[in-house]
Amino acid sequence: AQKVTQAQTEISVVEKEDVTLDCVYETRDTTYYLFWYKQPPSGELVFLIRRNSFDEQNEISGRYSWNFQKSTSSFNFTITASQVVDSAVYFCALSVPSGSARQLTFGSGTQLTVLP
Amino acid sequence: ETGVTQTPRHLVMGMTNKKSLKCEQHLGHNAMYWYKQSAKKPLELMFVYSLEERVENNSVPSRFSPECPNSSHLFLHLHTLQPEDSALYLCASSQDKGGHPNTEAFFGQGTRLTVV
């Protein structure tokens, strides 16, 4: 069975601070994908990034960066110089093979509030 | 515009009512999903349709009945719901490639359901 743990339920930072959202996962599969999604107040989940289990290179996209470490089963997400518009719930998710269709196992989410 | 449209955005229904949630995807994907998001709980996968066939049913009560008439449309028919069924219901789609690397799922904005 798969499991994704986001231990931080809520985080508050002041604008321009850096913030890291933690994600720890569990799976017995050797092939899997990890995702981060953002859920703004409007409700939809917005895709941010996908990484496969064979690619441990860290990735940077603008103010966003991700640190994937298989040794600790972690896939952490850092926002640099946070902005008020970054306020949202962020979900980490894991995808493994499941027959003819894939499913995502989500963590419980981290509510990020960026204060002006 | 995420490419996945859900209607209605908000729904209030009594326990004896029958209603339907609608999802439409404009992305040419071949898999569609229903998720339930309750307060302070991880997203729960309810149903998966791949190539218009139901491939996953995660022990969802029979008062929820999905329908996938074609690859672009997905419905969730609701009848005799309970107050604990109140939640945000999210539809998603993806391009399922079977044993090949997964692509990300695109989500709609959800239907906020309140059962009174």
Side-chain angles (χ1 to χ4, degrees):
Chain A
Q2 288 64 241
K3 185 178 179 181
V4 177
T5 302
Q6 294 179 256
Q8 305 150 307
T9 304
E10 297 180 19
I11 300 177
S12 286
V13 298
V14 177
E15 203 169 21
K16 298 184 183 177
E17 288 184 355
D18 299 347
V19 59
T20 296
L21 309 182
D22 298 333
C23 173
V24 175
Y25 62 92
E26 297 175 29
T27 179
R28 293 181 181 175
D29 289 82
T30 55
T31 300
Y32 53 88
Y33 279 75
L34 294 162
F35 301 76
W36 275 97
Y37 283 86
K38 173 182 179 181
Q39 186 177 38
S42 55
E44 79 278 21
L45 273 73
V46 178
F47 166 78
L48 296 178
I49 190 172
R50 177 185 78 248
R51 300 306 301 274
N52 74 56
S53 52
F54 299 107
D55 182 4
E56 287 193 72
Q57 276 193 338
N58 291 329
E59 183 163 337
I60 298 174
S61 176
R63 296 185 297 106
Y64 295 169
S65 62
W66 291 269
N67 183 0
F68 177 28
Q69 292 193 348
K70 287 179 75 171
S71 60
T72 56
S73 296
S74 65
F75 186 44
N76 297 337
F77 172 31
T78 298
I79 302 174
T80 304
S82 59
Q83 300 176 2
V84 173
V85 295
D86 295 328
S87 297
V89 181
Y90 290 85
F91 291 93
C92 181
L94 169 70
S95 173
V96 298
S98 174
S100 62
R102 305 295 183 102
Q103 57 177 294
L104 294 167
T105 300
F106 285 88
S108 54
T110 297
Q111 171 72 60
L112 173 66
T113 302
V114 181
L115 303 169
Chain B
E1 174 58 53
T2 65
V4 180
T5 305
Q6 289 187 242
T7 53
R9 293 291 310 279
H10 301 272
L11 177 63
V12 179
M13 60 186 289
M15 289 190 284
T16 58
N17 292 159
K18 288 185 180 180
K19 297 287 184 182
S20 296
L21 310 185
K22 179 182 177 181
C23 176
E24 183 174 2
Q25 59 99 358
H26 315 276
L27 302 168
H29 289 164
N30 62 5
M32 296 186 76
Y33 312 77
W34 279 117
Y35 283 86
K36 176 183 178 182
Q37 186 179 25
S38 304
K40 301 187 185 302
K41 293 176 67 175
L43 276 81
E44 303 170 53
L45 178 67
M46 300 176 72
F47 301 104
V48 179
Y49 276 82
S50 179
L51 300 172
E52 302 160 36
E53 289 191 22
R54 191 190 310 179
V55 295
E56 291 278 346
N57 177 348
N58 281 357
S59 303
V60 179
S62 59
R63 55 185 184 270
F64 294 92
S65 174
E67 177 190 3
C68 186
N70 55 62
S71 60
S72 299
H73 293 86
L74 184 65
F75 294 90
L76 187 62
H77 303 301
L78 316 170
H79 65 98
T80 59
L81 295 192
Q82 305 297 312
E84 59 265 29
D85 296 323
S86 299
L88 180 68
Y89 288 84
L90 288 161
C91 173
S93 71
S94 70
Q95 186 59 27
D96 176 51
K97 298 180 179 179
H100 296 283
N102 193 20
T103 59
E104 63 271 22
F106 289 83
F107 286 79
Q109 290 184 298
T111 296
R112 174 68 64 185
L113 174 66
T114 303
V115 181
V116 297

